[in-house]
């Protein structure tokens, strides 16, 4: 019997209306909308990492916010551990939130500058009634800090006294305080130096092995995704254009946008003629999307049938899906590999 996924998202849509000029209001013209998330479906299994990758503005963060019930979608369903998040009462949702946590992109701005590390890490424990005050949870906080590689003496420091790597470790300690089943990591290493990135990634992998958490890992860095994720979903202009096992998707992409992303990864040692083509044209304005494939205006393999509406379809074994009429495209120049160093020690 197949195990039920921890998270199942189906047909998710989230549109944001744009301001209308007075002329449009007078003529009763409908407001244009930004289709930040449009017909997104994905699953996350217990204990696995699903990478969500795409360029800035593709809708990755919106998917994460919808999954955490920080916003409500316009359409679609979100099931978490068998519960329909959109049907839960406020109190029921509050009880389920302890199973879902978020790691932000900028660790320093996500910490309250007036709260010490002790107060920051103890906050979720107090919110969910496990302790009555920060001082009461001192031993628990010290244990959490030790788990993420920080000394107990750091508990009395404030955010401005921390380095970027230390601040992100504090945020991770806060996220795992309630032993969640799922963590949404929204670009958690992009604000850090490369050497520190490797340490944080190794820390996240170790914590997943020890605590059995699942990750939705949001990033625009394909090397990070390839290093951390078992499966990957590629987003473009609010839609999933390809998904499947990371090795399959990155090894033999089936969508032209995935291929273009892989070929855009900097590789200084390659000669100019060995490098892939740069994606032509400008990023799609998600307020005025075409009726067919959203990548069609920039696609070198465009054909007439691309102008018709596209939906995800199975493309081979192991759950591979693609939103493209092509059955096969030329392979990328070389594979994408993480170069941050898997042997980096988790030093503070």
């Amino acid at each position: 019997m197949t195990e039920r996924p921890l998270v199942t998202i189906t047909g998710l849509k989230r549109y944001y209306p744009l301001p209308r000029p007075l002329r449009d209001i007078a003529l009763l013209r409908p407001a244009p909308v930004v289709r930040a998330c449009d017909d997104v479906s994905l699953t996350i299994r217990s204990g696995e990492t699903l990478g969500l990758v795409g360029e800035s503005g593709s809708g990755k963060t919106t998917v994460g916010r919808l999954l955490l019930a920080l916003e409500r979608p316009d359409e679609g369903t979100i099931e978490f551990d068998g519960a329909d998040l959109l049907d839960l009462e406020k109190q029921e949702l509050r009880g389920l939130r302890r199973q879902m946590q978020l790691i932000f992109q900028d660790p320093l701005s996500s910490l309250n500058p007036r709260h010490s590390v002790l107060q920051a890490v103890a906050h979720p424990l107090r919110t969910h009634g496990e302790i009555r005050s920060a001082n009461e949870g001192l031993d628990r906080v010290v244990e959490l800090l030790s788990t993420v590689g920080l000394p107990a003496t750091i508990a009395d420091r404030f955010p401005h006294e921390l380095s970027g790597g230390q601040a992100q470790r504090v945020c991770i300690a806060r996220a795992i305080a309630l032993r969640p089943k799922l963590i949404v990591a929204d670009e958690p290493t992009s604000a850090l130096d490369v050497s520190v990135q490797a340490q944080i990634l190794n820390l996240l992998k170790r914590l997943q092995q020890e605590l059995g958490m699942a990750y939705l890992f949001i990033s625009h860095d394909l090397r990070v995704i390839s290093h951390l994720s078992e499966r990957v979903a590629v987003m473009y202009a609010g839609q999933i254009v390809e998904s499947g096992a990371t090795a399959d998707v990155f090894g033999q992409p089936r969508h032209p946008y995935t291929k273009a992303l892989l070929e855009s990864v900097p590789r200084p040692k390659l000669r100019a003629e060995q490098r892939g083509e740069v994606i032509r044209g400008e990023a799609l304005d998600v307020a005025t999307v075409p009726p067919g494939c959203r990548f069609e205006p920039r696609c070198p393999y465009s054909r007439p049938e691309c102008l018709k509406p596209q939906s995800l379809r199975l493309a081979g074994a192991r759950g591979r899906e693609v939103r493209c009429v092509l059955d096969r495209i030329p392979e990328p120049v070389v594979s994408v590999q993480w170069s941050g160093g898997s042997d980096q020690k988790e030093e503070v």
Side-chain angles (χ1 to χ4, degrees):
M1 183 175 180
T2 304
E3 182 182 0
R4 181 180 62 191
L6 177 65
V7 175
T8 302
I9 293 176
T10 307
L12 211 58
K13 294 185 180 182
R14 183 68 174 101
Y15 298 166
Y16 298 98
L18 294 174
R20 288 186 296 170
L22 290 176
R23 176 182 296 179
D24 288 352
I25 295 175
L27 296 175
L28 301 180
R29 291 174 179 166
V33 295
V34 172
R35 294 168 172 81
C37 181
D38 198 2
D39 190 27
V40 169
S41 299
L42 53 84
T43 60
I44 306 174
R45 305 183 187 99
S46 297
E48 79 162 353
T49 300
L50 173 68
L52 189 59
V53 65
E55 60 193 63
S56 297
S58 60
K60 306 184 300 296
T61 296
T62 300
V63 172
R65 290 180 61 83
L66 292 171
L67 172 55
L68 294 171
L70 299 176
E71 296 185 40
R72 288 188 67 86
D74 298 308
E75 292 183 25
T77 61
I78 306 172
E79 288 190 7
F80 178 81
D81 201 18
D84 188 340
L85 292 185
L86 304 182
D87 283 344
L88 295 180
E89 298 293 336
K90 187 175 181 179
Q91 199 61 31
E92 294 175 314
L93 181 59
R94 178 183 174 86
L96 197 61
R97 282 192 185 281
R98 63 182 297 132
Q99 303 296 338
M100 305 178 290
Q101 296 297 318
L102 175 63
I103 300 174
F104 294 92
Q105 178 176 356
D106 187 347
L108 291 173
S109 66
S110 66
L111 294 171
N112 190 324
R114 296 185 178 183
H115 286 182
S116 67
V117 169
L118 172 61
Q119 291 172 306
V121 178
H123 182 74
L125 299 172
R126 292 180 60 190
T127 300
H128 290 274
E130 296 200 7
I131 59 173
R132 287 174 292 183
S133 67
N135 290 332
E136 182 182 329
L138 178 59
D139 291 342
R140 181 80 174 273
V141 170
V142 168
E143 180 184 353
L144 288 166
L145 293 177
S146 175
T147 301
V148 299
L150 292 174
T153 53
I154 212 169
D156 294 326
R157 295 188 191 177
F158 287 83
H160 70 274
E161 300 176 296
L162 305 175
S163 67
Q166 289 174 330
Q168 194 60 290
R169 288 172 187 268
V170 170
C171 292
I172 294 172
R174 180 176 61 182
I176 67 173
L178 296 170
R179 296 294 181 99
K181 294 181 179 180
L182 171 71
I183 286 183
V184 176
D186 190 359
E187 303 270 13
T189 61
S190 63
L192 306 175
D193 293 338
V194 174
S195 60
V196 181
Q197 285 184 21
Q199 296 168 17
I200 295 299
L201 290 175
N202 290 333
L203 171 62
L204 290 172
K205 291 186 72 171
R206 175 173 64 80
L207 291 175
Q208 186 178 47
Q209 294 169 355
E210 293 176 357
L211 305 178
M213 303 172 296
Y215 292 140
L216 174 62
F217 197 94
I218 299 171
S219 180
H220 64 274
D221 191 329
L222 274 67
R223 289 193 176 103
V224 170
I225 292 293
S226 68
H227 177 64
L228 200 66
S229 305
E230 292 92 6
R231 293 190 303 120
V232 64
V234 182
M235 282 197 77
Y236 180 74
Q239 292 185 330
I240 303 291
V241 296
E242 185 168 5
S243 66
T246 304
D248 295 343
V249 172
F250 286 179
Q252 190 175 21
R254 302 291 294 271
H255 195 282
Y257 177 65
T258 308
K259 177 178 182 291
L261 277 183
L262 291 166
E263 293 184 338
S264 68
V265 175
R267 300 181 180 92
K269 295 183 179 180
L270 291 183
R271 298 190 302 273
E273 61 272 17
Q274 291 179 304
R275 297 171 187 165
E277 295 182 4
V278 177
I279 304 177
R280 67 185 186 184
E282 299 293 331
L284 180 67
D285 180 3
V286 289
T288 56
V289 297
C293 175
R294 298 186 177 181
F295 191 60
E296 186 274 334
R298 308 173 70 187
C299 181
Y301 311 105
S302 175
R303 54 185 62 185
E305 52 263 44
C306 296
L307 300 176
K308 299 178 182 178
Q310 306 290 323
S311 58
L312 276 173
R313 61 179 176 85
L314 288 175
R318 300 210 294 175
R320 185 78 173 274
E321 293 183 315
V322 63
R323 194 185 297 266
C324 184
V325 299
L326 298 176
D327 291 325
R328 187 171 298 277
I329 58 174
E331 295 184 4
V333 179
V334 292
S335 61
V336 173
Q337 296 181 344
W338 166 249
S339 58
S342 59
D343 58 346
Q344 291 277 352
K345 296 182 180 179
E346 295 175 13
E347 299 174 350
V348 178

